[in-house]
Amino acid sequence: MKIPFNKPYLTGKETFYIQDAVYSGHLSGNGKYTKKCQTFFEEKYKFKKTLLTTSCTDALEMCAMLLDIKEGDEVIMPSYTFVSTALAFVRQGAKIVFVDSGKSQPNMDVDAIESLINNNTKAIVPVHYAGVAVEMDKIMQLADRYNLYVVEDAAQGVDSYYKNKPLGGVGHLGAFSFHETKNVIAGEGGLLIINEDKFIERAEILWEKGTNRASFFRGEINKYGWVDTGSSFLPSELTAAFLFAQLENIEEIQKKRISNWHHYYNGLISLEKEGKLKLPVVTENATNNGHMFYIVCNSENDRAQLIDFLKKKNIFAVFHYLSLHNSNYYSSIHGGRELPQSDYYSNHLLRLPMYYELEELSIDKIVKTIKEFYSSKTT
Ligand SMILES: *Cc1c(COP(=O)(O)O)cnc(C)c1O
Protein backbone atom coordinates (compact mmCIF):
# COMPACT_ATOMS: atom_id res chain seq x y z
CA MET A 1 0.00 0.00 0.00
CA LYS A 2 1.26 3.43 -0.99
CA ILE A 3 1.95 5.98 1.74
CA PRO A 4 1.81 9.44 0.13
CA PHE A 5 3.66 12.43 1.53
CA ASN A 6 0.45 14.37 2.11
CA LYS A 7 -3.25 13.63 1.97
CA PRO A 8 -5.75 16.48 2.35
CA TYR A 9 -8.18 15.69 5.15
CA LEU A 10 -11.91 16.30 4.77
CA THR A 11 -14.05 16.63 7.86
CA GLY A 12 -17.17 15.71 5.86
CA LYS A 13 -18.95 19.03 6.20
CA GLU A 14 -17.06 20.98 3.54
CA THR A 15 -19.49 20.34 0.69
CA PHE A 16 -22.46 20.88 3.01
CA TYR A 17 -21.27 24.40 3.86
CA ILE A 18 -20.31 25.08 0.23
CA GLN A 19 -23.81 24.06 -0.83
CA ASP A 20 -25.25 26.38 1.78
CA ALA A 21 -23.07 29.23 0.47
CA VAL A 22 -24.09 28.49 -3.12
CA TYR A 23 -27.82 28.43 -2.45
CA SER A 24 -27.78 31.40 -0.10
CA GLY A 25 -26.88 33.47 -3.15
CA HIS A 26 -23.77 35.22 -1.85
CA LEU A 27 -20.78 33.75 -3.68
CA SER A 28 -18.27 36.60 -3.76
CA GLY A 29 -16.06 37.43 -0.79
CA ASN A 30 -16.73 38.91 2.64
CA GLY A 31 -20.02 37.12 3.26
CA LYS A 32 -21.32 34.92 6.06
CA TYR A 33 -18.60 32.25 5.94
CA THR A 34 -15.75 34.74 5.64
CA LYS A 35 -17.06 36.42 8.80
CA LYS A 36 -17.46 33.07 10.57
CA CYS A 37 -13.84 32.17 9.81
CA GLN A 38 -12.48 35.56 10.86
CA THR A 39 -14.55 35.51 14.05
CA PHE A 40 -13.26 32.03 14.81
CA PHE A 41 -9.64 33.25 14.76
CA GLU A 42 -10.40 36.48 16.61
CA GLU A 43 -12.21 34.63 19.39
CA LYS A 44 -10.06 31.51 19.76
CA TYR A 45 -6.66 33.23 19.53
CA LYS A 46 -7.70 36.75 20.62
CA PHE A 47 -6.26 38.30 17.44
CA LYS A 48 -7.20 41.96 17.20
CA LYS A 49 -8.34 41.76 13.58
CA THR A 50 -8.09 39.13 10.84
CA LEU A 51 -8.87 39.17 7.12
CA LEU A 52 -9.26 36.02 5.07
CA THR A 53 -7.09 36.11 1.93
CA THR A 54 -6.69 34.00 -1.20
CA SER A 55 -3.31 32.72 0.06
CA CYS A 56 -0.60 33.30 2.63
CA THR A 57 1.44 34.83 -0.20
CA ASP A 58 -1.30 37.43 -0.64
CA ALA A 59 -1.48 38.11 3.09
CA LEU A 60 2.28 38.75 3.06
CA GLU A 61 1.89 41.06 0.05
CA MET A 62 -0.69 43.00 2.03
CA CYS A 63 1.83 43.27 4.88
CA ALA A 64 4.45 44.71 2.52
CA MET A 65 1.90 47.25 1.27
CA LEU A 66 0.75 48.14 4.78
CA LEU A 67 4.33 48.84 5.81
CA ASP A 68 4.80 51.03 2.70
CA ILE A 69 7.84 49.00 1.67
CA LYS A 70 9.49 50.69 -1.30
CA GLU A 71 12.60 50.74 -3.47
CA GLY A 72 15.67 50.99 -1.30
CA ASP A 73 14.11 49.47 1.83
CA GLU A 74 15.70 46.35 3.30
CA VAL A 75 13.83 43.44 4.83
CA ILE A 76 15.55 40.80 6.95
CA MET A 77 14.38 37.18 6.76
CA PRO A 78 15.74 33.61 6.73
CA SER A 79 17.10 32.15 3.50
CA TYR A 80 15.71 28.75 4.44
CA THR A 81 12.07 29.53 3.62
CA PHE A 82 9.53 29.40 0.84
CA VAL A 83 9.77 31.84 -2.08
CA SER A 84 6.63 33.73 -1.00
CA THR A 85 8.23 35.10 2.16
CA ALA A 86 10.69 37.04 0.02
CA LEU A 87 8.58 37.60 -3.08
CA ALA A 88 5.87 39.55 -1.25
CA PHE A 89 8.46 42.18 -0.26
CA VAL A 90 10.48 42.05 -3.49
CA ARG A 91 7.36 43.05 -5.46
CA GLN A 92 7.28 46.30 -3.47
CA GLY A 93 10.92 46.96 -4.40
CA ALA A 94 12.62 45.79 -1.21
CA LYS A 95 16.08 44.36 -1.02
CA ILE A 96 16.04 41.09 0.92
CA VAL A 97 18.79 40.59 3.48
CA PHE A 98 18.99 36.90 4.30
CA VAL A 99 19.86 35.49 7.72
CA ASP A 100 21.30 32.05 8.31
CA SER A 101 19.47 29.21 10.07
CA GLY A 102 20.37 28.19 13.60
CA LYS A 103 23.01 25.62 14.50
CA SER A 104 20.63 23.09 15.98
CA GLN A 105 17.37 23.89 14.15
CA PRO A 106 16.29 25.44 10.83
CA ASN A 107 14.67 28.63 12.17
CA MET A 108 16.57 31.88 11.66
CA ASP A 109 19.48 32.53 13.99
CA VAL A 110 18.16 35.50 15.97
CA ASP A 111 21.66 36.38 17.18
CA ALA A 112 22.76 36.99 13.58
CA ILE A 113 20.15 39.68 12.89
CA GLU A 114 21.49 42.79 14.64
CA SER A 115 24.67 43.09 12.57
CA LEU A 116 22.52 43.16 9.39
CA ILE A 117 20.42 46.14 10.48
CA ASN A 118 21.21 49.53 8.91
CA ASN A 119 19.39 52.79 8.14
CA ASN A 120 17.49 51.19 5.24
CA THR A 121 16.13 48.29 7.29
CA LYS A 122 12.34 48.44 7.53
CA ALA A 123 11.20 45.04 8.75
CA ILE A 124 12.13 41.62 10.08
CA VAL A 125 10.17 38.60 8.84
CA PRO A 126 10.59 35.54 11.07
CA VAL A 127 9.31 32.24 9.63
CA HIS A 128 8.12 29.66 12.15
CA TYR A 129 9.48 26.58 10.41
CA ALA A 130 7.47 23.40 11.00
CA GLY A 131 5.20 25.46 13.27
CA VAL A 132 7.99 25.83 15.86
CA ALA A 133 8.26 29.41 17.09
CA VAL A 134 11.25 31.60 16.35
CA GLU A 135 12.70 33.19 19.54
CA MET A 136 10.36 36.18 19.25
CA ASP A 137 11.38 38.16 22.36
CA LYS A 138 14.79 38.86 20.84
CA ILE A 139 13.23 39.94 17.55
CA MET A 140 10.71 42.24 19.23
CA GLN A 141 13.51 43.81 21.28
CA LEU A 142 15.49 44.54 18.10
CA ALA A 143 12.36 45.95 16.47
CA ASP A 144 11.85 48.27 19.45
CA ARG A 145 15.44 49.38 19.57
CA TYR A 146 15.76 50.10 15.83
CA ASN A 147 12.17 51.10 15.11
CA LEU A 148 11.39 48.20 12.77
CA TYR A 149 8.25 46.25 11.99
CA VAL A 150 7.90 42.51 12.49
CA VAL A 151 5.81 40.39 10.12
CA GLU A 152 5.44 36.74 11.15
CA ASP A 153 5.29 34.26 8.30
CA ALA A 154 3.22 31.81 10.32
CA ALA A 155 2.11 29.86 7.22
CA GLN A 156 2.91 26.64 9.10
CA GLY A 157 2.19 28.03 12.55
CA VAL A 158 -1.58 27.75 12.96
CA ASP A 159 -2.46 26.77 16.53
CA SER A 160 1.12 26.91 17.76
CA TYR A 161 2.46 29.17 20.50
CA TYR A 162 5.42 31.20 21.70
CA LYS A 163 5.39 31.65 25.49
CA ASN A 164 1.60 31.12 25.50
CA LYS A 165 1.04 33.66 22.72
CA PRO A 166 -0.42 32.26 19.49
CA LEU A 167 1.92 32.53 16.51
CA GLY A 168 0.83 35.26 14.13
CA GLY A 169 -0.18 37.34 17.14
CA VAL A 170 3.29 38.23 18.42
CA GLY A 171 4.65 40.64 15.76
CA HIS A 172 2.91 43.69 14.31
CA LEU A 173 1.40 41.64 11.48
CA GLY A 174 1.16 37.92 10.74
CA ALA A 175 0.07 35.51 8.01
CA PHE A 176 -1.35 31.97 7.94
CA SER A 177 -1.71 29.57 5.00
CA PHE A 178 -4.58 27.18 4.30
CA HIS A 179 -2.89 25.56 1.31
CA GLU A 180 -3.81 21.89 1.06
CA THR A 181 -0.45 20.85 2.55
CA LYS A 182 -1.05 22.75 5.81
CA ASN A 183 -2.87 21.65 8.99
CA VAL A 184 -6.25 23.26 8.23
CA ILE A 185 -6.94 23.75 4.57
CA ALA A 186 -9.09 25.46 1.97
CA GLY A 187 -7.30 24.30 -1.19
CA GLU A 188 -5.68 27.70 -1.50
CA GLY A 189 -6.24 30.30 1.19
CA GLY A 190 -4.65 32.46 3.83
CA LEU A 191 -5.22 34.86 6.70
CA LEU A 192 -3.83 38.29 7.46
CA ILE A 193 -3.48 38.91 11.19
CA ILE A 194 -3.38 42.54 12.29
CA ASN A 195 -2.10 43.17 15.79
CA GLU A 196 -1.98 46.99 15.69
CA ASP A 197 -5.05 49.23 15.43
CA LYS A 198 -3.40 51.65 13.07
CA PHE A 199 -3.27 49.08 10.23
CA ILE A 200 -6.88 47.92 10.36
CA GLU A 201 -8.66 50.53 8.28
CA ARG A 202 -6.10 50.54 5.49
CA ALA A 203 -5.92 46.72 5.45
CA GLU A 204 -9.65 46.58 4.68
CA ILE A 205 -9.13 49.02 1.80
CA LEU A 206 -6.18 47.11 0.28
CA TRP A 207 -8.22 43.91 0.62
CA GLU A 208 -11.15 45.32 -1.40
CA LYS A 209 -9.30 46.62 -4.50
CA GLY A 210 -8.33 49.97 -2.99
CA THR A 211 -11.90 50.96 -2.18
CA ASN A 212 -13.54 51.87 1.12
CA ARG A 213 -16.25 49.30 0.50
CA ALA A 214 -15.98 47.76 3.96
CA SER A 215 -16.84 51.08 5.69
CA PHE A 216 -19.69 51.52 3.24
CA PHE A 217 -21.23 48.18 4.19
CA ARG A 218 -20.93 49.06 7.85
CA GLY A 219 -22.92 52.23 7.10
CA GLU A 220 -20.04 54.54 8.05
CA ILE A 221 -20.06 56.36 4.70
CA ASN A 222 -22.82 56.74 2.10
CA LYS A 223 -20.90 55.95 -1.06
CA TYR A 224 -17.69 54.09 -1.72
CA GLY A 225 -14.89 54.77 -4.15
CA TRP A 226 -11.23 54.42 -5.01
CA VAL A 227 -9.08 55.67 -2.15
CA ASP A 228 -5.78 53.71 -2.18
CA THR A 229 -3.78 50.95 -3.84
CA GLY A 230 -4.74 47.32 -3.26
CA SER A 231 -5.89 44.21 -5.07
CA SER A 232 -8.56 41.57 -4.91
CA PHE A 233 -7.16 39.79 -1.87
CA LEU A 234 -10.40 38.33 -0.59
CA PRO A 235 -11.42 34.74 -1.36
CA SER A 236 -14.91 33.75 -2.46
CA GLU A 237 -17.44 32.37 -0.01
CA LEU A 238 -16.88 28.88 -1.46
CA THR A 239 -13.34 28.89 -0.09
CA ALA A 240 -14.47 30.33 3.23
CA ALA A 241 -17.24 27.72 3.55
CA PHE A 242 -14.74 24.92 3.01
CA LEU A 243 -12.36 26.42 5.56
CA PHE A 244 -15.08 26.84 8.17
CA ALA A 245 -15.72 23.09 8.18
CA GLN A 246 -12.04 22.56 8.89
CA LEU A 247 -11.93 25.13 11.67
CA GLU A 248 -14.80 23.44 13.46
CA ASN A 249 -12.57 20.38 13.70
CA ILE A 250 -9.27 22.06 14.44
CA GLU A 251 -8.83 20.54 17.88
CA GLU A 252 -9.29 17.00 16.64
CA ILE A 253 -7.00 17.64 13.66
CA GLN A 254 -4.26 19.03 15.87
CA LYS A 255 -4.55 16.25 18.42
CA LYS A 256 -4.09 13.57 15.78
CA ARG A 257 -1.21 15.30 14.00
CA ILE A 258 0.65 15.89 17.27
CA SER A 259 0.09 12.29 18.27
CA ASN A 260 1.50 11.15 14.91
CA TRP A 261 4.50 13.41 15.45
CA HIS A 262 5.26 11.77 18.81
CA HIS A 263 4.80 8.33 17.34
CA TYR A 264 7.52 9.11 14.80
CA TYR A 265 9.73 10.69 17.42
CA ASN A 266 9.55 7.74 19.79
CA GLY A 267 10.14 5.32 16.93
CA LEU A 268 13.22 7.09 15.61
CA ILE A 269 14.89 8.25 18.84
CA SER A 270 17.16 5.19 18.94
CA LEU A 271 18.63 6.12 15.54
CA GLU A 272 19.39 9.60 16.82
CA LYS A 273 21.12 8.08 19.86
CA GLU A 274 23.25 5.97 17.52
CA GLY A 275 24.25 9.15 15.64
CA LYS A 276 22.61 8.02 12.38
CA LEU A 277 20.37 11.07 11.97
CA LYS A 278 18.93 14.03 13.87
CA LEU A 279 15.34 14.57 14.97
CA PRO A 280 13.40 17.85 15.02
CA VAL A 281 13.97 20.23 17.90
CA VAL A 282 11.10 22.01 19.65
CA THR A 283 12.79 24.89 21.45
CA GLU A 284 12.03 25.81 25.04
CA ASN A 285 9.56 28.67 24.43
CA ALA A 286 7.82 26.99 21.49
CA THR A 287 5.07 24.41 21.07
CA ASN A 288 4.68 21.67 18.52
CA ASN A 289 1.59 21.88 16.28
CA GLY A 290 2.28 18.64 14.42
CA HIS A 291 2.65 20.44 11.12
CA MET A 292 5.65 18.49 9.91
CA PHE A 293 7.89 15.60 10.86
CA TYR A 294 11.39 15.85 9.48
CA ILE A 295 14.72 14.16 10.03
CA VAL A 296 18.14 15.65 9.33
CA CYS A 297 20.41 13.17 7.53
CA ASN A 298 24.16 13.07 8.09
CA SER A 299 24.96 13.63 4.42
CA GLU A 300 23.32 14.62 1.16
CA ASN A 301 24.14 11.16 -0.10
CA ASP A 302 22.37 9.48 2.84
CA ARG A 303 19.31 11.56 2.11
CA ALA A 304 19.21 10.75 -1.62
CA GLN A 305 19.63 7.03 -0.92
CA LEU A 306 17.03 7.04 1.84
CA ILE A 307 14.49 8.79 -0.43
CA ASP A 308 15.04 6.04 -3.04
CA PHE A 309 14.93 3.26 -0.45
CA LEU A 310 11.62 4.54 0.92
CA LYS A 311 10.18 5.05 -2.56
CA LYS A 312 10.88 1.40 -3.43
CA LYS A 313 8.69 0.52 -0.43
CA ASN A 314 6.01 2.93 -1.66
CA ILE A 315 6.75 5.55 0.99
CA PHE A 316 7.03 9.11 -0.27
CA ALA A 317 9.41 11.39 1.62
CA VAL A 318 10.52 14.75 0.26
CA PHE A 319 13.20 17.33 0.93
CA HIS A 320 12.26 20.96 1.39
CA TYR A 321 13.54 24.47 0.67
CA LEU A 322 16.54 25.35 -1.44
CA SER A 323 18.27 28.35 0.15
CA LEU A 324 16.82 31.50 -1.41
CA HIS A 325 20.17 33.32 -1.31
CA ASN A 326 21.44 30.80 -3.90
CA SER A 327 18.35 30.93 -6.13
CA ASN A 328 18.54 31.85 -9.82
CA TYR A 329 16.36 34.85 -9.17
CA TYR A 330 18.21 36.33 -6.23
CA SER A 331 21.80 35.08 -5.93
CA SER A 332 23.31 37.99 -7.87
CA ILE A 333 21.49 40.52 -5.68
CA HIS A 334 22.38 38.63 -2.52
CA GLY A 335 26.03 38.93 -3.42
CA GLY A 336 27.84 35.88 -2.09
CA ARG A 337 27.60 36.20 1.71
CA GLU A 338 27.67 32.59 2.87
CA LEU A 339 24.87 31.07 4.91
CA PRO A 340 26.16 27.58 5.68
CA GLN A 341 23.40 26.46 8.04
CA SER A 342 20.70 27.33 5.53
CA ASP A 343 22.56 25.28 2.92
CA TYR A 344 22.98 22.49 5.46
CA TYR A 345 19.20 22.18 5.94
CA SER A 346 18.63 22.52 2.19
CA ASN A 347 20.90 19.52 1.65
CA HIS A 348 20.16 17.32 4.67
CA LEU A 349 16.57 17.78 5.82
CA LEU A 350 13.99 15.19 4.82
CA ARG A 351 10.25 15.44 5.49
CA LEU A 352 8.34 12.23 6.21
CA PRO A 353 4.65 11.61 5.40
CA MET A 354 2.44 13.60 7.77
CA TYR A 355 -1.32 13.96 7.58
CA TYR A 356 -4.42 13.50 9.70
CA GLU A 357 -5.35 10.09 8.34
CA LEU A 358 -1.84 8.66 8.61
CA GLU A 359 -2.20 5.57 10.79
CA GLU A 360 0.19 4.52 13.52
CA LEU A 361 0.69 1.24 11.67
CA SER A 362 1.91 3.19 8.66
CA ILE A 363 4.27 5.20 10.85
CA ASP A 364 5.56 1.92 12.29
CA LYS A 365 6.22 0.73 8.76
CA ILE A 366 8.05 3.95 7.85
CA VAL A 367 10.16 3.77 11.03
CA LYS A 368 10.97 0.11 10.35
CA THR A 369 11.98 0.91 6.77
CA ILE A 370 14.25 3.74 7.88
CA LYS A 371 15.88 1.39 10.39
CA GLU A 372 16.36 -1.22 7.68
CA PHE A 373 18.02 1.42 5.53
CA TYR A 374 20.52 2.36 8.22
CA SER A 375 21.34 -1.22 9.18
CA SER A 376 21.85 -2.19 5.52
CA LYS A 377 24.22 0.77 5.14
CA THR A 378 26.64 -0.30 7.83
CA THR A 379 26.97 -3.87 6.59
C1 LIG B 1 3.05 27.39 2.54
C2 LIG B 1 3.93 28.53 2.85
C3 LIG B 1 3.78 29.80 2.25
C4 LIG B 1 2.82 30.05 1.13
O1 LIG B 1 1.51 29.86 1.47
P1 LIG B 1 0.39 29.98 0.32
O2 LIG B 1 -0.89 29.96 1.09
O3 LIG B 1 0.56 28.80 -0.58
O4 LIG B 1 0.59 31.26 -0.39
C5 LIG B 1 4.59 30.84 2.66
N1 LIG B 1 5.52 30.67 3.61
C6 LIG B 1 5.73 29.48 4.19
C7 LIG B 1 6.77 29.36 5.25
C8 LIG B 1 4.96 28.37 3.82
O5 LIG B 1 5.17 27.18 4.41
Side-chain angles (χ1 to χ4, degrees), residues 166-184:
L167 299 189
V170 187
H172 302 95
L173 297 164
F176 284 163
S177 172
F178 309 120
H179 184 265
E180 77 166 41
T181 52
K182 304 301 201 288
N183 288 26
V184 285

Side-chain angles (χ1 to χ4, degrees), residues 157 190 211 247 266 359 363:
T211 71
L247 297 178
N266 296 334
E359 291 170 19
I363 297 175

Side-chain angles (χ1 to χ4, degrees), residues 24-298:
S24 71
H26 182 138
L27 299 176
S28 61
N30 201 9
K32 176 174 86 177
Y33 283 102
T34 297
K35 292 190 177 82
K36 275 176 180 286
C37 292
Q38 291 175 179
T39 302
F40 173 89
F41 284 106
E42 288 161 15
E43 286 181 353
K44 185 168 169 67
Y45 302 105
K46 308 286 182 284
F47 294 140
K48 184 161 274 175
K49 172 73 187 164
T50 61
L51 290 171
L52 212 56
T53 59
T54 50
S55 65
C56 177
T57 308
D58 268 5
L60 292 167
E61 282 179 23
M62 287 182 74
C63 294
M65 290 178 173
L66 284 168
L67 301 185
D68 276 322
I69 298 292
K70 54 188 182 324
E71 200 83 33
D73 289 342
E74 296 189 6
V75 177
I76 296 175
M77 64 179 65
S79 176
Y80 192 71
T81 184
F82 189 59
V83 173
S84 301
T85 320
L87 185 59
F89 293 87
V90 165
R91 290 180 83 259
Q92 289 289 117
K95 175 171 191 242
I96 307 300
V97 177
F98 289 113
V99 184
D100 209 0
S101 292
K103 286 269 181 306
S104 58
Q105 46 83 41
N107 273 340
M108 73 202 284
D109 175 4
V110 291
D111 295 323
I113 296 172
E114 190 164 11
S115 64
L116 299 170
I117 296 173
N118 62 36
N119 289 335
N120 296 325
T121 309
K122 260 292 195 55
I124 305 173
V125 186
V127 179
H128 305 295
Y129 187 73
V132 174
V134 175
E135 196 46 62
M136 289 301 290
D137 279 353
K138 288 203 180 158
I139 291 181
M140 298 314 288
Q141 281 158 16
L142 289 173
D144 259 5
R145 191 174 318 145
Y146 294 98
N147 201 18
L148 308 173
Y149 285 112
V150 175
V151 176
E152 295 175 74
D153 181 343
Q156 304 172 16
V158 176
D159 202 51
S160 202
Y161 294 80
Y162 172 76
K163 292 189 172 176
N164 298 320
K165 280 184 241 163
L167 299 189
V170 187
H172 302 95
L173 297 164
F176 284 163
S177 172
F178 309 120
H179 184 265
E180 77 166 41
T181 52
K182 304 301 201 288
N183 288 26
V184 285
I185 61 174
E188 303 275 359
L191 190 79
L192 171 66
I193 302 155
I194 304 161
N195 303 316
E196 296 256 306
D197 287 322
K198 67 173 177 186
F199 292 122
I200 295 176
E201 195 184 332
R202 185 156 184 244
E204 288 182 330
I205 291 168
L206 301 182
W207 192 56
E208 287 258 31
K209 300 106 177 159
T211 71
N212 50 3
R213 203 158 175 262
S215 320
F216 173 72
F217 280 117
R218 280 196 298 267
E220 295 161 8
I221 46 175
N222 53 25
K223 57 181 195 260
Y224 77 86
W226 186 11
V227 295
D228 204 332
T229 185
S231 190
S232 189
F233 287 120
L234 69 178
S236 89
E237 279 288 285
L238 306 186
T239 298
F242 188 108
L243 180 64
F244 186 64
Q246 297 265 315
L247 297 178
E248 281 188 326
N249 279 270
I250 193 166
E251 287 184 10
E252 194 190 322
I253 292 170
Q254 294 300 89
K255 210 170 123 203
K256 180 66 178 356
R257 292 185 77 112
I258 292 166
S259 153
N260 279 349
W261 192 98
H262 286 288
H263 203 66
Y264 267 124
Y265 195 91
N266 296 334
L268 292 169
I269 186 81
S270 60
L271 286 178
E272 183 175 63
K273 285 184 177 142
E274 292 163 30
K276 301 255 167 63
L277 49 74
K278 292 202 183 78
L279 295 181
V281 175
V282 179
T283 42
E284 194 187 325
N285 297 322
T287 60
N288 169 19
N289 70 347
H291 173 60
M292 183 194 300
F293 195 90
Y294 65 82
I295 59 174
V296 183
C297 299
N298 287 346

